Amino acid sequence: MQIIKNQKEANEWVREHTKNGQTCGFVPTMGALHDGHISLITKAKSENDWVVASIFVNPTQFNDPKDLINYPKTPELDHAALENSGCDMLFEPDVAEVYDNSYVFPTFDFGGLDQTMEGAHRPGHFNGVAMVVYKLFNIIPAQRSYFGEKDFQQLAIIRKMTNDFGIPTTIIPCPTMREHDGMAMSSRNIRLTPEERKAAPILFKSMVACKDLIDKYGLEKALQLTKEGIELSGVFKVEYVEIMNPDTLHPVTTTIEPGRSRIFLAVKASNTRLIDNLCL
Ligand code: AMP
């Protein structure tokens, strides 16, 4: 695997490797890689001739400066995991390479997709995400780009941004990888205390159980019981539990559509914040 830090060289690498009609799949990440990330690499590998990953902890998407400072970094392990999973090139720029002063970013309009959930709780977060992904898409002209449903709202926003700007890459959604006990894999999980880690499966279990609660008690009461159930663990404080239309990301207010409506949650533990979602 080749590691490239310079944007011009990374762009040339992709253009050179795809000049005879070969395809390239792109997997952007913030590093501290786990099997969820690797599942994206594996999928990209199965669908393209070449796979490019990026590792860049993007400062503009962190609304909490402490979260940015504490974001886990495991570069040696990441390089080995990418190499082993068949990644062909890693683009690993520093901050000045991505945010050089000469670059002019467009203004993004997410058509309201950013008004709920993560957008409502993390001011500026999605603008920062769109900035970095827009720039990465310019540097890495891949035919396909892979994003996890773990960050479902981010996936929706990137899909819209890609469409709005006519960026010629196809966005491929990938399912959420979970630990055996149901906890969604996340780079932030290593910041959980042992007690929080032990309690974490309640998040997945509560999302699964919510469907039955809706059938029994209706939507509003089911959401209230789900929130109370999670907080009874004594270790998580719920920021939101909501059921959304997967296209508009607006709350479902009356009846859910099985197989389409999605439950989303965000909770705070002592040192970290976790998000998860599930199709009902
Ligand atoms: P991150 O490094 O957290 O920015 O994530 C990079 C990519 O991996 C994003 O598209 C995420 O949605 C995806 N991802 C993160 N966690 C998981 C997971 N547990 N399963 C599948 N994809 C994931």
Side-chain angles (χ1 to χ4, degrees), residues 67-138:
D67 189 27
L68 174 59
I69 291 166
N70 293 331
Y71 199 81
K73 291 174 192 75
T74 56
E76 290 86 12
L77 291 174
D78 291 353
H79 293 175
L82 289 173
E83 184 98 54
N84 289 338
S85 58
C87 179
D88 298 292
M89 190 268 270
L90 168 63
F91 178 50
E92 201 175 27
D94 62 21
V95 173
E97 188 70 18
V98 174
Y99 292 111
D100 56 305
N101 290 333
S102 62
Y103 196 82
V104 181
F105 286 94
T107 302
F108 300 106
D109 178 352
F110 306 120
L113 290 172
D114 59 333
Q115 297 301 302
T116 54
M117 303 188 288
E118 293 304 282
H121 285 83
R122 301 184 65 188
H125 169 65
F126 284 123
N127 202 60
V129 169
M131 281 167 83
V132 77
V133 174
Y134 179 84
K135 178 97 193 232
L136 288 170
F137 280 172
N138 274 285

Side-chain angles (χ1 to χ4, degrees), residues 28-30 34 36-37 40 71 147-148 150-151 175-177 185:
T29 81
M30 297 205 297
H34 49 69
H37 295 113
L40 272 56
Y71 199 81
F147 290 87
K150 161 78 173 36
D151 301 284
T176 301
M177 293 294 122
M185 291 178 180

Side-chain angles (χ1 to χ4, degrees), residues 13 24-27 41 44-45 48-53 86-89:
W13 188 99
C24 178
F26 178 40
V27 181
I41 302 278
K45 190 85 191 161
N48 299 278
D49 298 300
W50 304 104
V51 175
V52 172
C87 179
D88 298 292
M89 190 268 270

Side-chain angles (χ1 to χ4, degrees):
M1 178 179 76
Q2 206 162 330
I3 300 178
I4 301 181
K5 294 190 172 290
N6 174 279
Q7 52 178 298
K8 199 160 167 281
E9 277 173 38
N11 179 268
E12 274 161 14
W13 188 99
V14 177
R15 284 193 289 128
E16 184 60 29
H17 284 74
T18 52
K19 69 176 181 208
N20 295 323
Q22 299 99 324
T23 63
C24 178
F26 178 40
V27 181
T29 81
M30 297 205 297
L33 301 182
H34 49 69
D35 286 351
H37 295 113
I38 299 305
S39 72
L40 272 56
I41 302 278
T42 308
K43 188 164 167 66
K45 190 85 191 161
S46 72
E47 296 178 351
N48 299 278
D49 298 300
W50 304 104
V51 175
V52 172
S54 65
I55 294 181
F56 180 66
V57 182
N58 174 35
T60 62
Q61 74 186 70
F62 284 81
N63 53 309
D64 175 357
K66 268 200 296 197
D67 189 27
L68 174 59
I69 291 166
N70 293 331
Y71 199 81
K73 291 174 192 75
T74 56
E76 290 86 12
L77 291 174
D78 291 353
H79 293 175
L82 289 173
E83 184 98 54
N84 289 338
S85 58
C87 179
D88 298 292
M89 190 268 270
L90 168 63
F91 178 50
E92 201 175 27
D94 62 21
V95 173
E97 188 70 18
V98 174
Y99 292 111
D100 56 305
N101 290 333
S102 62
Y103 196 82
V104 181
F105 286 94
T107 302
F108 300 106
D109 178 352
F110 306 120
L113 290 172
D114 59 333
Q115 297 301 302
T116 54
M117 303 188 288
E118 293 304 282
H121 285 83
R122 301 184 65 188
H125 169 65
F126 284 123
N127 202 60
V129 169
M131 281 167 83
V132 77
V133 174
Y134 179 84
K135 178 97 193 232
L136 288 170
F137 280 172
N138 274 285
I139 298 169
I140 310 292
Q143 282 72 17
R144 300 184 186 88
S145 301
Y146 295 78
F147 290 87
E149 288 180 342
K150 161 78 173 36
D151 301 284
F152 195 90
Q153 192 173 15
Q154 167 177 283
L155 171 63
I157 279 170
I158 288 169
R159 210 187 258 127
K160 172 154 173 50
M161 189 265 289
T162 307
N163 216 28
D164 289 353
F165 288 96
I167 299 169
T169 191
T170 304
I171 305 298
I172 312 282
C174 304
T176 301
M177 293 294 122
R178 297 179 179 281
E179 304 288 357
H180 292 302
D181 58 13
M183 183 178 72
M185 291 178 180
S186 164
S187 304
R188 288 185 171 88
N189 289 349
I190 55 176
R191 282 171 25 192
L192 296 173
T193 65
E195 191 196 7
E196 289 163 354
R197 173 64 191 89
K198 203 163 155 233
I202 183 111
L203 304 179
F204 180 64
K205 280 193 194 134
S206 302
M207 291 194 298
V208 173
C210 189
K211 171 107 174 38
D212 287 339
L213 291 176
I214 294 168
D215 294 342
K216 260 199 201 144
Y217 302 110
L219 203 90
E220 203 176 317
K221 179 87 181 152
L223 287 174
Q224 189 198 329
L225 290 170
T226 303
K227 179 170 183 269
E228 286 170 6
I230 293 172
E231 293 197 333
L232 263 181
S233 69
V235 295
F236 297 118
K237 177 101 192 69
V238 174
E239 261 191 18
Y240 60 80
V241 182
E242 300 193 70
I243 294 172
M244 300 297 200
N245 173 302
D247 300 323
T248 61
L249 299 184
H250 289 167
V252 174
T253 47
T254 46
T255 40
I256 64 159
E257 284 178 78
R260 261 182 59 71
S261 303
R262 260 185 127 84
I263 180 164
F264 293 81
L265 59 79
V267 302
K268 270 201 160 144
S270 57
N271 287 320
T272 196
R273 188 174 171 276
L274 303 176
I275 58 169
D276 202 350
N277 68 87
L278 191 72
C279 181
L280 287 173

